Amino acid sequence: MSLFWVIVVTILVILYEWPKMDKEQKKEKWAFAGLTMAGFLLAVMLIYFPDTPGPNQLVGEIFRPLGKLME
Amino acid sequence: MRCIIRKKTVKRMAEFLMCVIMPLILSGCWDRIEVNDLAIVVATGLDKTEEGEIELSVQIVNPKSMGSKSEGGQGGGKQNTVEKTTGKTIFDARSKLQEKVSRKLFWGHNHIIFIGKKLAEEGIRKHLDFFSRHPFTRLRASVFMTNEKPDELLKIEPDLERSSAEVAKDLAMLKVGLSVTAKDLLDMLSGEKRGAALPMIQIEREPPNTEGLKIYGAAIFNNGKMTDQLDDKEVRGLLWIRDEIDTASVTINPEEGEELISFHIFDATSKLIPSIENGNWKIKIEIVSEDDIVENETKLDMMNPKIIEKLKEQLEKQIVERVKLALEIVQKEMKVDVLGFEEAFHRHYPDEWRKANWEEVFPEIEVEVVSEVKIRRPGRSTAPQGVPENEVIGN
Amino acid sequence: MIEKGRISTGQMVILLYPTVIATAILLVPGITGKFAGNDMWLSPIWASLAGCITILIMAQLHNRFPRQTIIQYSEEIIGKIPGKLIGFIILFFFFHSNGLVLREYGEFVVGNFLPTTPLVVVIGSMIFVSGLAVRGGIEVMARSAQVFVPIVLFLFILIVILLIPDLEPANLLPFFEKGLIPSLKGAIVPTTWFLQLFAITFILPVLKKKEGGMKWGMITVFLIMVTLVLSNLFTMLLFGKLTPTFTYPIMEAARYISIADFIQHLESIVMAIWVSGTFIKISVFYYVIAVGTAQLLNLQDYRPIVFPIGGLLAVMGLWTAPNLQQIQHFLITTMPFYAVIVQIILPLLLLIAAVIFKKNTKKIN
């Protein structure tokens, strides 16, 4: 169900933005495709593996020794 | 050409569709609740059953009778309904309650919490959390302790107001006795060793065939558990110390004899001034009040400055006595600090306060009560009314 | 120059003010109260120093590279690859913080008002609206801020005034019970909010007038400090030692208001402050990310990537933490160091490098 909505939203974004870009805007098209793809894949990943460690854990791990000072 | 036209119509239609869809989204489908699907809780009663379960009773407004106060008395639909269940926690009981109430229970308008005796004796601290955590409950709710069953209080159909909840709320607003909101109570309980005081409320059936509520006395809590109760007179003294007197009346007996004079106190403030000298903990209670004469049974002339001076002294003494009465009981007998002494010392002597064992210090604190009364006006009459001129004293 | 629009210094203030205030006003009183006790009203004053430092560094860098943002001049100062790396770190930071802000926003709305609405709907609709604002460009954002910020201010002042009858001035005593340390400790977390003024680097290059940027930046810091001191002070005076026990003390304060029996139930006002304020905040961060990403990838236009970024932000918001407790914990234990490194130390190093290598764009132009 939520996968359905993710696909719908992705398609809507593509339909809205793609025709607006000129033929010369190659780089923009690549950036657009890349970011959309990244968002789509992350969303799908979170649907199937909702407990994947997030950025908070990543950053938190880096700063753990300092973070102890604040506890 | 045709292509352009089609594009335009498609765009128009899309715009139109957007306009139609937007209002649907605006209503917020998930949390939309119509008023007629709500059971609005206006008062909550909490008590404990013999088995140790929470007994939750609620007063729900009957929307059919809202607005038009049913004329002719009890004939029409009842103003309120009262429901009651038990559960392990308040919210657990609420869920069970929902099983028999056909509308969604809504706590956003809950102004009153009645706490029953059994629950008060076993400790109220843990049950108050619900009122500061659930998204819809309010910290402004007034809290009362009652020796009767809370659901009995909720069932009362008073004559003047729409419900007993409203009576309790208005009594709290008039500040005739203590007035404590859930926030105040949490504040009192969250101190490390401090006690708390709650106003007590009871059913009043005087004159016969009428029903009502009455604030009478106060319950004293030590460590979240009710340990003692104060009567009305002692509560007055407590109010003076806590600077919660709003308006009051004081009656004195100025001469030998039966004639009395009553004063209306319209402004009163009291201050706690702590001091520590050579390890002696002292607190000075300074009370300043402004009074009007409202009733004079004696033959004294109320315009005579000398007489007024005398009355002033008697009045001051009377107030000091009231305060001392409360002090004697609360400080020496109950040994529970509901007077705000600890706070006063914490604020002005934080270092000494931290080192001291408050439970030992509190009953030993030396208290000095100073009362200053300002008699402002004689009232509408000067000399006593209905007394022949030659009998008036001090004319 | 990617952004064609130009705004005035006044508009810059009106954009940056809610960028800091919106979430700070709700979360800061509770967090500072935890550390500073009844000296919590002092903490924002200490924390505002961090805001001044940020503005100072960004203004100095701006003077050297008046038409560029940090993403662009970091490449000029330390070369292409390390510059891109710094740009990436900054963008990741904003991605992450905006995800947090979105989540805070969502948790607040769901937790207090719409308990059965899915979080993703609340976050998604906010992204959509902000996305439209960002696509419209900085001028559109500035104008919408001009509409919302006066409302936010008015409502905030209204709440402050209506609270006056319930305040207990004695709650302030004793001053400095344990010295200045608690209030300084309480300042650490609000510091991260002041550091968000870092976003000024994306606004300074699009100002109509080149001078006055720093002065008005400092004025913003001052306004923010006053607002935070007020909100800390008033929750303190109302709730005393209860303050840190609430998730959103200001919200509780607004709920507590009851005047003459009919001015009550004012929590919807807090909701209005929150929604309109966070809208600006999220838009500004969103804008920073969109423009920054476009500059990092050397795009001609940032608009096509706005919505794809929005999708990523929504995912980030949902992904960032499992619950509000984790967010709060992160804000206290990690965010201060994270923010100081990205928003003060990085730019400071850049500035030092620029001074040493005598880099600026003035000569080229």
Side-chain angles (χ1 to χ4, degrees):
Chain A
M1 189 58 200
S2 35
L3 184 67
F4 169 75
W5 286 111
V6 169
I7 294 169
V8 166
V9 169
T10 314
I11 290 173
L12 279 178
V13 168
I14 294 172
L15 282 182
Y16 182 70
E17 289 290 0
W18 199 261
K20 292 200 174 184
M21 283 184 278
D22 300 333
K23 274 193 181 141
E24 300 92 70
Q25 292 181 299
K26 274 250 167 66
K27 259 184 184 169
E28 280 77 5
K29 285 196 172 173
W30 276 111
F32 176 80
L35 287 166
T36 314
M37 205 59 202
F40 179 77
L41 288 178
L42 267 178
V44 172
M45 182 192 85
L46 283 182
I47 288 169
Y48 290 105
F49 306 102
D51 295 325
T52 319
N56 269 19
Q57 276 103 317
L58 176 75
V59 178
E61 212 53 52
I62 298 172
F63 291 97
R64 165 143 315 163
L66 288 167
K68 288 224 170 89
L69 293 175
M70 292 296 292
E71 272 171 356
Chain B
M1 186 66 203
R2 192 186 283 164
C3 186
I4 294 168
I5 291 169
R6 199 184 292 158
K7 245 186 185 169
K8 255 187 183 170
T9 35
V10 167
K11 213 179 161 197
R12 278 268 168 79
M13 274 171 70
E15 277 169 359
F16 180 73
L17 257 173
M18 278 291 260
C19 292
V20 175
I21 292 167
M22 276 302 177
L24 287 176
I25 299 169
L26 281 177
S27 66
C29 319
W30 282 277
D31 287 288
R32 192 207 74 244
I33 303 173
E34 302 294 333
V35 180
N36 51 15
D37 292 331
L38 278 183
I40 298 168
V41 175
V42 290
T44 313
L46 297 175
D47 207 346
K48 264 213 163 135
T49 60
E50 291 302 321
E51 294 81 44
E53 287 214 305
I54 293 280
E55 190 178 284
L56 173 76
S57 42
V58 292
Q59 190 179 70
I60 300 165
V61 176
N62 184 356
K64 269 184 223 147
S65 64
M66 248 178 160
S68 63
K69 254 195 114 173
S70 57
E71 282 161 42
Q74 279 75 35
K78 266 169 71 176
Q79 306 268 354
N80 311 287
T81 45
V82 175
E83 297 285 350
K84 181 171 128 180
T85 43
T86 60
K88 287 194 262 319
T89 63
I90 299 177
F91 197 71
D92 181 47
R94 189 215 78 111
S95 312
K96 286 181 184 160
L97 203 60
Q98 189 67 76
E99 287 168 7
K100 57 179 179 177
V101 177
S102 56
R103 299 172 176 207
K104 199 166 175 9
L105 287 163
F106 179 67
W107 244 274
H109 288 269
N110 179 35
H111 294 297
I112 299 296
I113 302 166
F114 290 136
I115 292 173
K117 196 176 175 194
K118 189 146 192 300
L119 186 86
E121 279 168 351
E122 286 182 16
I124 50 173
R125 195 192 298 252
K126 56 184 176 185
H127 303 300
L128 282 167
D129 188 76
F130 173 74
F131 294 95
S132 61
R133 195 176 299 278
H134 186 275
F136 295 133
T137 53
R138 261 155 221 289
L139 285 174
R140 187 110 202 173
S142 301
V143 189
F144 296 91
M145 207 311 277
T146 176
N147 283 331
E148 287 158 85
K149 293 300 284 178
D151 54 306
E152 295 296 322
L153 261 73
L154 295 176
K155 275 186 208 150
I156 292 290
E157 283 175 18
D159 302 318
L160 267 181
E161 306 288 347
R162 200 174 287 159
S163 67
S164 52
E166 213 137 310
V167 176
K169 188 176 116 199
D170 290 344
L171 286 175
M173 288 220 335
L174 283 175
K175 302 211 165 159
V176 284
L178 276 170
S179 166
V180 175
T181 65
K183 177 213 117 194
D184 298 334
L185 184 59
L186 283 173
D187 195 34
M188 286 193 269
L189 291 173
S190 66
E192 279 153 37
K193 299 147 204 161
R194 281 169 64 204
L198 276 187
M200 295 207 296
I201 197 159
Q202 64 187 40
I203 298 171
E204 171 83 2
R205 294 191 202 276
E206 204 55 44
N209 295 327
T210 61
E211 284 185 320
L213 295 176
K214 184 187 174 192
I215 292 190
Y216 183 83
I220 303 295
F221 289 78
N222 195 359
N223 263 324
K225 287 176 185 154
M226 186 176 75
T227 49
D228 291 287
Q229 296 189 348
L230 294 178
D231 69 19
D232 238 6
K233 218 173 165 189
E234 293 152 357
V235 170
R236 301 304 295 176
L238 186 69
L239 290 175
W240 279 104
I241 301 171
R242 286 164 59 111
D243 194 14
E244 283 174 22
I245 286 275
D246 200 25
T247 57
S249 67
V250 181
T251 302
I252 55 169
N253 187 352
E255 314 160 299
E256 309 298 302
E258 287 182 355
E259 286 88 7
L260 304 170
I261 301 181
S262 279
F263 294 85
H264 175 225
I265 296 173
F266 56 90
D267 187 27
T269 50
S270 54
K271 260 192 226 157
L272 300 179
I273 304 163
S275 62
I276 300 176
E277 282 163 23
N278 312 325
N280 280 337
W281 295 54
K282 271 189 201 163
I283 207 155
K284 191 170 157 193
I285 305 174
E286 260 186 20
I287 299 171
V288 181
S289 57
E290 292 193 29
D291 308 41
D292 273 0
I293 303 162
V294 284
E295 191 174 351
N296 176 19
E297 290 181 351
T298 65
K299 290 175 181 168
L300 297 171
D301 184 1
M302 291 295 109
M303 292 305 274
N304 188 329
K306 270 185 202 156
I307 291 175
I308 294 299
E309 192 61 33
K310 234 184 186 166
L311 288 176
K312 189 182 109 128
E313 275 166 30
Q314 280 176 310
L315 205 54
E316 284 168 356
K317 229 167 141 195
Q318 175 93 3
I319 291 170
V320 171
E321 264 168 38
R322 278 193 185 188
V323 170
K324 286 210 165 140
L325 175 80
L327 269 177
E328 187 61 36
I329 288 168
V330 174
Q331 192 196 4
K332 303 288 182 199
E333 287 178 22
M334 298 178 183
K335 298 186 178 146
V336 182
D337 183 11
V338 289
L339 308 168
F341 284 7
E342 184 178 18
E343 218 165 39
F345 277 107
H346 181 184
R347 280 172 183 161
H348 295 279
Y349 295 92
D351 296 327
E352 288 87 343
W353 170 80
R354 215 171 315 126
K355 281 178 213 142
N357 180 354
W358 185 251
E359 265 163 86
E360 280 172 25
V361 171
F362 175 66
E364 305 304 325
I365 294 173
E366 211 175 295
V367 186
E368 187 192 350
V369 188
V370 183
S371 162
E372 197 195 335
V373 168
K374 292 168 180 157
I375 299 178
R376 292 291 190 203
R377 280 160 288 264
R380 273 161 60 219
S381 301
T382 54
Q385 292 288 1
V387 176
E389 205 176 319
N390 52 5
E391 281 182 32
V392 173
I393 303 165
N395 194 352
Chain C
M1 197 71 205
I2 271 183
E3 174 64 61
K4 306 283 184 303
R6 291 290 176 270
I7 60 171
S8 68
T9 42
Q11 283 175 313
M12 177 184 83
V13 175
I14 228 165
L15 265 177
L16 285 175
Y17 176 77
T19 302
V20 176
I21 280 300
T23 45
I25 213 174
L26 274 144
L27 290 165
V28 161
I31 298 175
T32 43
K34 216 167 274 165
F35 292 104
N38 57 355
D39 291 330
M40 62 189 263
W41 56 276
L42 263 176
S43 299
I45 301 179
W46 305 132
S48 68
L49 288 176
C52 294
I53 295 170
T54 317
I55 300 274
L56 204 67
I57 296 173
M58 295 334 288
Q60 288 306 319
L61 281 167
H62 172 69
N63 283 342
R64 294 176 168 268
F65 307 96
R67 300 302 245 143
Q68 288 172 309
T69 71
I70 194 162
I71 308 285
Q72 294 165 310
Y73 54 66
S74 63
E75 275 178 52
E76 296 209 2
I77 295 171
I78 53 170
K80 195 162 183 196
I81 304 295
K84 291 260 188 228
L85 188 69
I86 285 186
F88 177 78
I89 292 172
I90 290 167
L91 286 177
F92 178 79
F93 177 82
F94 271 95
F95 244 112
H96 189 184
S97 344
N98 209 8
L100 279 171
V101 173
L102 274 165
R103 184 60 180 269
E104 284 159 22
Y105 162 78
E107 291 292 347
F108 178 78
V109 172
V110 172
N112 285 293
F113 297 97
L114 309 171
T116 54
T117 306
L119 191 62
V120 61
V121 173
V122 176
I123 289 182
S125 46
M126 184 50 114
I127 295 255
F128 179 65
V129 182
S130 310
L132 290 179
V134 173
R135 261 192 80 93
I138 192 87
E139 283 184 18
V140 171
M141 284 162 57
R143 260 178 259 131
S144 53
Q146 274 174 310
V147 174
F148 285 128
V149 173
I151 300 174
V152 167
L153 267 182
F154 170 76
L155 294 177
F156 177 71
I157 292 166
L158 185 75
I159 284 185
V160 164
I161 290 172
L162 291 178
L163 272 175
I164 289 173
D166 288 312
L167 298 182
E168 174 67 63
N171 276 345
L172 276 182
L173 292 170
F175 290 122
F176 317 127
E177 188 183 355
K178 291 169 190 139
L180 282 177
I181 304 298
S183 68
L184 285 170
K185 249 189 136 179
I188 295 174
V189 177
T191 298
T192 59
W193 267 275
F194 279 100
L195 290 180
Q196 288 166 354
L197 287 171
F198 177 87
I200 201 172
T201 177
F202 287 82
I203 298 178
L204 285 175
V206 298
L207 286 182
K208 271 182 207 147
K209 279 191 225 145
K210 285 297 136 197
E211 56 278 357
M214 181 160 116
K215 188 180 108 196
W216 287 94
M218 292 300 181
I219 289 173
T220 318
V221 173
F222 178 73
L223 288 175
I224 292 164
M225 183 198 80
V226 169
T227 318
L228 285 184
V229 167
L230 272 181
S231 60
N232 273 7
L233 192 65
F234 274 70
T235 46
M236 182 68 222
L237 289 181
L238 179 63
F239 289 122
K241 57 187 172 304
L242 284 182
T243 315
T245 64
F246 296 116
T247 323
Y248 309 107
I250 282 276
M251 173 80 184
E252 291 305 324
R255 274 181 179 219
Y256 197 73
I257 292 171
S258 167
I259 286 173
D261 232 9
F262 69 91
I263 303 179
Q264 50 187 356
H265 302 224
L266 296 182
E267 60 261 38
S268 48
I269 287 187
V270 180
M271 172 87 159
I273 293 180
W274 177 247
V275 174
S276 40
T278 0
F279 162 66
I280 306 289
K281 175 169 195 146
I282 290 169
S283 303
V284 169
F285 276 28
Y286 197 165
Y287 175 81
V288 165
I289 298 165
V291 171
T293 312
Q295 288 172 341
L296 193 73
L297 301 174
N298 296 325
L299 305 184
Q300 299 302 311
D301 190 2
Y302 71 91
R303 260 164 275 163
I305 56 170
V306 166
F307 282 115
I309 286 175
L312 267 175
L313 279 175
V315 173
M316 200 66 131
L318 296 168
W319 189 26
T320 187
N323 49 33
L324 189 65
Q325 289 91 319
Q326 288 284 336
I327 294 178
Q328 185 99 289
H329 183 77
F330 183 81
L331 287 179
I332 293 174
T333 59
T334 313
M335 202 60 178
F337 309 105
Y338 190 20
V340 165
I341 286 178
V342 176
Q343 296 181 322
I344 286 207
I345 295 182
L346 266 188
L348 189 64
L349 290 177
L350 280 180
L351 182 62
I352 293 168
V355 171
I356 292 171
F357 301 136
K358 297 216 171 61
K359 286 263 171 92
N360 53 42
T361 46
K362 273 178 193 158
K363 285 174 204 155
I364 304 161
N365 288 355

